[in-house]
Amino acid sequence: MEAVFAILALLFVLFVAAGVFVTVKAVRVAKRGVDRTVAQARRTVEDTGLRARQFGQPGVVGELAQLRLSLRTSMRATQEVLRTGSPEDASLSEADALFQRLSAHGHELDAELKRLEREPDRASIAALLPDLRERTERITHSAESLRWAARDRARKFAEDDLSTLSDQIDLEAGALRHWTREPERGAAGEPATEGAARPAADGPSGAGARSAGAADNPYSWGPPAEEAPASAITAGDPRARPSYPWQKSPRPESTT
């Protein structure tokens, strides 16, 4: 009885542990989804504010907003391309590692541009703009190089796969249309037959090789024609007829 209670207690503990594990995992997945949604919403709001300052506040503030928007757009596009292609192409792992190093410089520059937006000394910011613009262009150019290289690689692989698939389909289509092939012909241009030609009959006319029955019956699997009996064409001798005991003997002929 104690063993039964122990087994039931163990099963209860296992069920509770499984329930806790599933609950924690579901909470983590939901939390990641919420964090992703919040981050995306925050980025959307920030990008909208940058566009508004770019067109609504000309001068230093608009220039800083334009630099930040260009940097964020280029880095986000490159990150999406590499994230999508890395699971399918292992060769992009090195490019992804390089992008992570480039992202560190990009985050540093974005944070610096964001601090300068709140700087009241516009003259100092104007003096820093050429260097900030050059750094932004270098980072965005590197990001675009990685992005377009990854896209060209994916397009090349897709073209090669499509070409191979087209060749395989053409071969399969030809195999399915096997009845359209022309029959093989012999040396004289005649279609090749399955069986060999029959040997010629012995002699000039071939009459000595065939019997009379084979000539009358053209089918090789039929019975040979029976020859007519000799009595049908030769008259029998009446004196050679057999005599029976019940027949009367003929009268002797008179000599006179």
Side-chain angles (χ1 to χ4, degrees):
M1 199 67 179
E2 294 179 356
V4 175
F5 285 133
I7 293 174
L8 292 177
L10 181 60
L11 291 176
F12 178 76
V13 172
L14 290 177
F15 283 136
V16 171
V20 171
F21 175 75
V22 172
T23 303
V24 171
K25 190 174 182 179
V27 170
R28 289 180 178 177
V29 172
K31 184 176 182 302
R32 284 197 298 267
V34 172
D35 293 342
R36 191 182 303 111
T37 302
V38 172
Q40 184 176 1
R42 186 182 296 112
R43 286 195 301 267
T44 302
V45 172
E46 194 167 1
D47 290 347
T48 303
L50 290 174
R51 290 189 180 92
R53 287 194 295 272
Q54 177 185 359
F55 296 104
Q57 297 180 6
V60 176
V61 177
E63 184 74 16
L64 293 175
Q66 182 181 0
L67 292 178
R68 287 190 65 194
L69 188 61
S70 175
L71 177 65
R72 292 162 64 91
T73 303
S74 179
M75 298 296 289
R76 190 178 300 125
T78 304
Q79 182 181 15
E80 185 66 23
V81 170
L82 294 178
R83 181 183 300 173
T84 304
S86 295
E88 300 177 357
D89 189 0
S91 300
L92 294 179
S93 58
E94 185 176 356
D96 190 40
L98 293 175
F99 177 74
Q100 296 301 328
R101 295 174 57 186
L102 184 65
S103 296
H105 293 278
H107 286 301
E108 182 180 357
L109 177 60
D110 184 70
E112 184 177 354
L113 292 173
K114 188 175 182 179
R115 287 193 304 268
L116 292 176
E117 287 179 351
R118 298 187 295 269
E119 178 64 38
D121 189 0
R122 304 301 181 187
S124 299
I125 298 176
L128 294 175
L129 277 179
D131 180 65
L132 295 174
R133 189 180 300 110
E134 182 183 359
R135 289 173 59 189
T136 304
E137 291 178 355
R138 289 176 62 184
I139 294 176
T140 55
H141 176 73
S142 299
E144 289 174 357
S145 298
L146 287 175
R147 182 171 67 251
W148 285 108
R151 287 177 176 175
D152 293 342
R153 182 180 179 85
R155 182 170 59 253
K156 178 60 177 177
F157 282 170
E159 291 177 357
D160 293 343
D161 184 68
L162 179 60
S163 178
T164 303
L165 180 61
S166 300
D167 294 340
Q168 294 177 355
I169 290 176
D170 292 340
L171 290 176
E172 183 64 20
L176 292 175
R177 296 191 184 97
H178 61 87
W179 65 86
T180 59
R181 300 176 182 174
E182 296 182 358
E184 298 181 358
R185 298 181 176 274
E190 297 295 334
T193 57
E194 296 181 358
R198 295 182 180 179
D202 297 336
S205 60
R210 296 185 181 180
S211 61
D216 296 337
N217 188 8
Y219 301 103
S220 59
W221 61 83
E226 297 181 357
E227 296 182 358
S231 59
I233 57 176
T234 305
D237 189 359
R239 290 174 296 179
R241 295 178 181 178
S243 60
Y244 299 96
W246 61 81
Q247 291 181 348
K248 295 181 179 181
S249 58
R251 294 180 182 182
E253 297 179 358
S254 176
T255 56
T256 55

